[in-house]
Amino acid sequence: ELQRANFMHRTVLVSFDWHALAHAKKIAPDAICWCTTKPNAGVSAADVKAAGANGWFCALDDANDDAIASARARDLSFGVWTVNDAVNMRRLIARNADAICTDRPDRLQQLL
């Protein structure tokens, strides 16, 4: 319990395995969990919220204005994976994405 208390307040659990995230929430109800979705999976912010998540990590192909607005309307944090080009990074920064997963943190850091 002590070890968990030392890092859980600064940890976000992110996974495609929503069942594992639900299990983590049972063990640690205050855990911050973000559901990840595959491109064009037909998943909505409502589905993510219904799963008990705190955030939605969607594929770049699905990170449109409607998805972002829908996540915000449901009080979900919103992130996108994997964004390596500056054009899309700028677009997501302008739309106030909470997180951007990238293989190019150097490029993202320059834009921030």
Side-chain angles (χ1 to χ4, degrees), residues 18-62:
W18 295 17
H19 296 291
L21 294 174
H23 184 69
K25 283 277 199 186
K26 285 181 186 175
I27 294 169
D30 293 334
I32 305 298
C33 295
W34 288 30
C35 291
T36 308
T37 54
K38 294 181 181 180
N40 305 309
V43 176
S44 70
D47 298 326
V48 172
K49 186 68 175 185
N54 305 96
W56 180 13
F57 230 120
C58 77
L60 179 58
D61 292 347
D62 297 325

Side-chain angles (χ1 to χ4, degrees), residues 10-28:
R10 61 181 191 272
T11 302
V12 177
L13 303 176
V14 179
S15 181
F16 287 101
D17 186 344
W18 295 17
H19 296 291
L21 294 174
H23 184 69
K25 283 277 199 186
K26 285 181 186 175
I27 294 169

Side-chain angles (χ1 to χ4, degrees), residues 89-107:
M89 288 176 180
R90 279 190 198 97
R91 180 176 65 86
L92 293 165
I93 291 166
R95 288 173 174 78
N96 296 313
D98 297 296
I100 298 173
C101 177
T102 183
D103 297 322
R104 294 298 310 267
D106 58 322
R107 190 173 288 159

